[in-house]
Amino acid sequence: MPEPTKARIEELVKDLPEEDPVRRYGEEKMELLDRLGYASSKAETGGRVRRDVPGWDELPSSATADEPLPRAR
């Protein structure tokens, strides 16, 4: 089964009523995917990578999913 994308989830839930729990769940997952797009960590939960590990300085950002970079305007 292919990995869900934000657009695919949006297509699946767009016609559901606002109060539908499936729609709310889909919207939560779309928000997570959006936050992950601005983060350098794929982990939704769990500990953070230590900043002293080899390669840390080469990462494009140190943002995490729960504290993403500001969005470009």
Side-chain angles (χ1 to χ4, degrees):
M1 185 166 137
E3 287 292 316
T5 64
K6 184 178 173 184
R8 184 175 178 155
I9 295 170
E10 186 173 30
E11 182 69 26
L12 291 170
V13 302
K14 71 178 183 177
D15 294 328
L16 296 175
E18 292 285 327
E19 65 279 353
D20 189 302
V22 173
R23 181 179 179 140
R24 287 195 309 264
Y25 179 79
E27 289 171 346
E28 289 171 11
K29 294 304 173 185
M30 286 188 293
E31 176 60 31
L32 172 62
L33 289 169
D34 195 44
R35 288 193 324 264
L36 288 170
Y38 291 92
S40 62
S41 170
K42 292 183 182 180
E44 180 177 352
T45 59
R48 305 205 189 274
V49 175
R50 294 184 345 261
R51 293 180 183 249
D52 62 342
V53 297
W56 183 264
D57 294 334
E58 288 81 37
L59 288 174
S61 83
S62 59
T64 58
D66 61 335
E67 294 178 15
L69 294 174
R71 295 184 181 165
R73 292 181 192 247

